[in-house]
Amino acid sequence: MTTSFTLSRRGFLVLSGMGLMLAGCSTVGILTPTPGATDQTEAALPIVNELRRRNGLSALSAVNPARKAAAVQAVRMAKAGEMQHLIGLGDSFYNRMKDSDVTLPAAENIASGQHEVDRAVQAWIDSPKHLKNMLGSYSGLGVAVAQASDGRPYWSMILSS
C-alpha cells in the first residue's frame, strides 16, 4: 500500500519557517573542545591582562575562535613533536585562523616544555617578539596546551582583533 503526501503551499511555508527557526538554533557561541588539548585561556587571561594594564593597554577577553585556534595549534605541535608555527607543506597561519573564524589581524605565540600556564606566559613575556604580540592592538585571547606522547607540553596563544 502506498500513501501519497501532498503538501499545500501553506504547509510548505510552515515547514520552511520551522526549518529556518531550527537553523537559527546553533551552537556558535559554545566552545567545542579539541580532543587532546586543554583550554588554559581563563588561567592565562589575568596574567596577560595585568601585563597589559601595567602598560596602559585595555584588557583582552576570552573569545571562542581564538581558543579553538590555540587548541588546534597545540594539538598539531604535540602530534608532530615539534614547536613550529607552520607544520607540513602548505600550512598557512592565515588559513588556520580563517578555519577557526579568528578575526584578523591576529598573532600566535607558541612555547614548549612549561608544565604550568604561568611559566608559559612568563616565557612569552621574557621574549621581546612574544611580548610585543601580547602588547599589540588585540582584543581577544585563546590559550591552550597539549601533551605529546612523551609528556612534553606544547602551548599556543592566539591574540585576535
Side-chain angles (χ1 to χ4, degrees):
M1 173 179 184
T2 58
T3 17
S4 65
F5 178 76
T6 306
L7 187 60
S8 69
R9 183 170 184 230
R10 182 174 184 200
F12 175 77
L13 291 174
V14 168
L15 287 174
S16 296
M18 288 174 55
L20 287 174
M21 284 180 14
L22 291 173
C25 297
S26 70
T27 58
V28 171
I30 297 172
L31 179 64
T32 303
T34 300
T38 303
D39 184 1
Q40 293 289 318
T41 306
E42 297 302 328
L45 201 55
I47 304 167
V48 175
N49 280 339
E50 176 57 23
L51 170 72
R52 290 177 62 87
R53 187 196 62 75
R54 288 194 317 261
N55 285 274
L57 300 169
S58 60
L60 302 177
S61 299
V63 293
N64 286 346
R67 290 169 122 164
K68 177 183 176 188
V72 167
Q73 179 62 7
V75 168
R76 293 173 72 234
M77 291 188 299
K79 284 182 179 177
E82 58 183 59
M83 187 181 76
Q84 296 289 330
H85 290 281
L86 301 176
I87 300 171
L89 292 174
D91 193 7
S92 158
F93 176 75
Y94 172 79
N95 287 339
R96 284 192 289 111
M97 295 305 106
K98 185 178 167 189
D99 290 346
S100 292
D101 296 322
V102 171
T103 304
L104 299 174
E108 176 179 76
N109 289 345
I110 57 175
S112 179
Q114 300 82 5
H115 290 279
E116 293 88 25
V117 67
D118 58 327
R119 292 184 186 231
V121 174
Q122 189 60 52
W124 291 320
I125 291 170
D126 293 341
S127 164
K129 288 181 182 180
H130 294 103
L131 176 61
K132 183 178 177 184
N133 284 344
M134 290 189 291
L135 298 177
S137 297
Y138 300 107
S139 59
L141 181 72
V143 178
V145 63
Q147 305 291 324
S149 59
D150 65 359
R152 184 171 183 82
Y154 287 86
W155 294 86
S156 177
M157 170 187 279
I158 302 295
L159 299 123
S160 66
S161 296

